[in-house]
Amino acid sequence: MNDLLLTETGWYLLVGSVLLAMGTVRLLFGRDALVRLIALNVAGGGGLLVLVSLAARSSSPDPVPQALALTGIVITAAVTGVGLALIRRMEDRTPD
Amino acid sequence: MLADVLLPAAVLAPIGAALVAAVVRGRAAVAVGLAGGLLSAVLALAVTVLVAVDGPAVHHLAGWTPPLGIALRADGMAALLLALVAIVGPVTLTAAASHPATYGEDRRFWPLALLLWAGLAGSVLAADLFNAYVALELVSLSAVGLVALGGRQAWEPAFGYLLLAVLGSLLYLVAVGAIYGLTGTLDMQDAGTALVAAPAAATRWPLALAVVGLGIKAAVLPLHSWLPPAHAAAPGAVSPLLSALVVKAAFVVLVRVWFDVLGPDPQVAVVLAWCAGAAVVVASLLALVQRSLKRVVAYSTVAQVGYLVLLFPLTSATHDPDVQRTVWAGVLLLAVAHGLAKAALFLAAGTVKLAAGTDDLDRIGGVLRSLGTTSMAMGLAAVSLVGLPTSLGFAGKWLLVSGAVRADQCWAVVLVVSGSLLSGAYLVRIVVVALREDGPDPSAGDDDPRKLHAALRHLPLGLALLVTLLGLNARWLAELSVVGAAVGGLP
């Protein structure tokens, strides 16, 4: 484990995991809807960073985890759009 | 080969119908939705029959084999779940078509419901980890959209559901990446073969991530907090789809990751045993104190997921393949029984809410009395949820308990029995409401109950009768459930 942290890949794995954990905590315990949505994006960034650093373990990068990360980015973008649309409706407090 | 047509068609037909339903307007959207649902149901049932007759079926999309290509695999578990979708789906869609208020009179219901269907079919048929992720994401996004059709009071629950469902898939995605890092493949069976000799320490953290991620999506207590508000706020024709089907999709993927890929882990199994016990007891007690009908039914779903989770600790506690198969069949029968009974219960609850204008337990007595067939459907669905004989719920619990006894896991027997008593208690509360004489007059509601479309009043009863009588055919279903199953040694 100590050896892994000394490599560049290990460093990125660590950063990705920390981002994932931070985003998750804020998502679960945040109160403001927008903050929670951004926290989800931070967590998503962390998760995708873990995938990309897994791809960089060998000297020639492995395309499969990168393709996973790419699909993950697309899905995160779609989810963020849906989330923003819901937030706009929730914030729109005009009476019926 | 028949499988090469049916397997992709079972996933692609609902997507195609959803695209058409999204562009047509007015009554045509309803027609397309219904026709698409019926076509998809026929295809799903055809897959079930195919598996029952010929055994497990595999299809490689466009002829590309793994690791490059995408494989769809139908085993007994997929066949049972597809049959469940093929029954609950058309019934719910017909109820929706008969009374547009059950989906908020918003025509976007039709494409969303069909996309949900495609995601469900995709996630039970996916043979590789990443496609399971994509299919589950399709399920979650369309489910969130469907919840949001419930109007103003449904938007916040829908938003909370969105965040937690996506967090769950994100954790699962990281687990998938880790599995790929360990094995170099995404195909579930290839990855499982590569990991057979792997030390438990290497597979434990990807397994824990997958369990937490999929556990959120399957509402395994304590990760269930999003479910009761979302399922209660969803429109009447949406809650049955969510409670009966959506929760099961994540459970199926979790079963595959556990048995096919990362292998049983006794320590994680202990944690899951506690989660299962807590779900059955705590969620049942919470159901007992809810004040509205739909929230009682929603908490009942969390409790019933607890029985499904028993699969993991009970199969880990024994090495006898026969006992493992018994537990497996019991849990899958319970999954189907819960799907049918809960769809009937939520459809009936939606009908009551529509007729009474509320689902407050103190104010629906009169409506329950005037809607005889609907109340009858609720009673019969309750019979299966509690697990009384001749119902499919009884057959499932019987297999589960006999498996637990043979595996020397008596705590599980106590849990199942006390869970049944608790579910009896919260379901009897509903019956008491119907029998009490002091309820307000049914005319207090928005809609005269007798003016509701006949389909809406009778469909829940049909589902409830089906689940009550299916227990008599349980042997056939139990045999189907273990076709190609990963328990009890290699298939």
Side-chain angles (χ1 to χ4, degrees), chain A residues 20 24 28 33 36-37 40 43-44 47 51 54 57 62 64-65 68 71 75 79 83 86-87 89-90 92 94 96, chain B residues 108 130 133-134 137 141 144 148 152 155-156 158-159 162-164 166-167 170-171 173-174 176-178 180-181 186:
Chain A
L20 179 61
T24 305
L28 292 179
R36 298 179 71 197
L37 190 65
L40 179 68
L51 288 183
L54 283 171
R57 286 173 315 154
D62 187 342
V64 174
L68 301 193
T71 317
I75 291 182
V79 164
L86 276 171
I87 289 178
R89 284 195 180 184
M90 281 162 18
D92 182 16
T94 46
D96 285 316
Chain B
R108 285 172 292 186
F130 190 65
Y133 162 76
V134 175
E137 211 60 312
L141 272 180
V144 167
R152 190 165 288 266
W155 293 338
E156 283 207 47
F159 184 70
L162 175 76
L163 289 183
L164 283 176
V166 173
L167 178 66
L170 183 64
L171 297 178
L173 181 63
V174 174
V176 170
Y180 180 82
L186 289 168

Side-chain angles (χ1 to χ4, degrees), chain A residues 64-81:
Chain A
V64 174
Q66 295 187 347
L68 301 193
L70 202 56
T71 317
I73 291 172
V74 173
I75 291 182
T76 313
V79 164
T80 309

